[in-house]
Amino acid sequence: MHSLSYNKTKISIGDLAVSQFDALLQSARYKDVKKVIITDENVFDLWMEYFITTYEGLAEAEIIQLPAGEDNKVLEICAHIWNALSEYEINRNDLIINIGGGVITDMGGFIAGTYKRGLNFINIPTTLLSQVDASMGGKTGIDLGAHKNQIGLFNDPEYVFIDPHLLSTLAQPEKLSGFAEMLKHGLISSRKHWDDLKRISLDSLPTNFDELILQSVSIKKEIVLKDPMEANLRKLLNFGHTVGHAIEGFYLSLNTPIPHGFAIAWGMLAEAHLSLQKNLLSQVEFDEINTFIRGVYAPLHINQEHFAMLLQLMKNDKKNRDGNINFTLLKRIGEGLIDCGVTDNELNEALLVTLNSPV
Ligand code: GLY
């Protein structure tokens, strides 16, 4: 079992059954409070019986089961959850337990932060994406139309319990989606992590996978600890996300959503090319990233006629300042650089080289 913490959040990585989770539910603070589990229909079918029958403290929990998928991370669903909390007479000393992927931990954290001005919450991430990224760091929120995470607040969970066993039911695309965020952690901060990740196969998760999760979470934790509100250093974590969020928004607007990490993987490739154009990243290292990403992630169906929409989405990105699109680029594999200005022409060139696929 690995433990780490940042701000008020304690994170444990390892088998949930031998973690502090059970003791926490039985603690004086939580024994007698109402507990509400927020989850989605997929996680409910796969895991809820395990949770309810294994942890006595959950036997009486109210369960709010939501439809699965990013297109449900919206205000209408929040209203449904707030109404349910109200119906269950939930108060500020009660506890919300989010069990699910990034949609559930993002939206559940937002719900916990806004209902009655905030109550404590725990995240139990069940996807790789939420284990290495979405479940910790404090950002919570929902989408607004094609704009990802446009409405939200910084709100740290009290605990995050990361149990790699819960990944056993994940389909390959979901593993690949989370893997993209792990690759990002390597690219912006640790050549060793990138090299370690390049060596593994996700077909069956390696036995040391919890060590790799630990490496990823530790990189994110160090960054978030130094700059929780994203004034500077935390922007490193946005590598791949300026183009990536536009790709994701583009597919969402077509009602054909793609996994977050696929958009981020291709976004990282486009932004690695920008880094090359800016003479930051060497050709050799760009080629290494290019070969790896193209070898792992299926090509997108985006071509030149979609670039104007991608650009429009990037210009509306909430990370922008003074009308400029703000990029995090790479100096080398293992070192990112924040606040890089990029012209529309440079961006078009990067998209053309990395994303354009024949119609
Ligand atoms: N909750 C995700 C983050 O703060 O990055």
Side-chain angles (χ1 to χ4, degrees), residues 106 133-140 220 234 237:
D106 280 1
D133 187 33
S135 65
M136 53 94 58
K139 289 184 181 176
T140 67
K220 179 163 181 178
R234 188 174 174 152
L237 294 169

Side-chain angles (χ1 to χ4, degrees), residues 127-129 132 167-182 201-206 209 259 261-262 296-297:
T127 62
L128 185 55
L129 184 66
V132 297
L167 304 178
S168 62
T169 50
L170 279 193
Q172 192 69 352
E174 281 190 275
K175 287 187 205 162
L176 287 172
S177 186
F179 191 60
E181 294 288 355
M182 299 177 85
S201 152
L202 287 180
D203 291 339
S204 59
L205 293 179
F209 200 59
F262 283 61
V296 173
Y297 292 93

Side-chain angles (χ1 to χ4, degrees), residues 28-133:
R29 167 71 180 88
Y30 288 122
K31 192 169 181 356
D32 296 319
V33 307
K34 286 188 188 155
K35 288 146 199 114
V36 180
I37 295 173
I38 301 181
T39 191
D40 71 30
E41 58 204 354
N42 296 340
V43 176
F44 182 92
D45 289 348
L46 291 166
W47 290 108
M48 210 41 61
E49 195 177 332
Y50 158 75
F51 280 105
I52 301 303
T53 55
T54 312
Y55 304 98
E56 204 188 313
L58 295 181
E60 307 278 300
E62 303 286 0
I63 301 176
I64 300 179
Q65 190 192 146
L66 304 173
E70 180 77 30
D71 44 351
N72 294 300
K73 209 173 92 175
V74 293
L75 196 59
E76 292 76 6
I77 300 285
C78 290
H80 163 80
I81 306 171
W82 285 316
N83 280 320
L85 296 179
S86 197
E87 223 170 85
Y88 300 144
E89 300 181 354
I90 298 304
N91 286 314
R92 290 180 68 182
N93 63 338
D94 292 330
L95 178 67
I96 289 189
I97 305 171
N98 299 313
I99 307 181
V103 170
I104 291 296
T105 56
D106 280 1
M107 187 158 56
F110 175 66
I111 291 286
T114 48
Y115 184 75
K116 295 197 175 173
R117 299 205 181 86
L119 34 82
N120 284 347
F121 71 107
I122 292 174
N123 284 338
I124 305 182
T126 57
T127 62
L128 185 55
L129 184 66
S130 57
Q131 294 198 345
V132 297
D133 187 33

Side-chain angles (χ1 to χ4, degrees), residues 3 23 55 121 123 142 151 164 178 191 212 220 229 241 246 251 254 272 289 295 332 342 344-345 349 357:
S3 304
Y55 304 98
F121 71 107
N123 284 338
I142 56 172
I151 312 293
R191 159 57 96 163
L212 294 171
K220 179 163 181 178
M229 306 297 280
H241 283 62
Y251 278 97
L254 297 179
I289 296 169
R332 59 180 66 85
V342 163
D344 285 5
N345 282 345
E349 185 187 335
S357 55

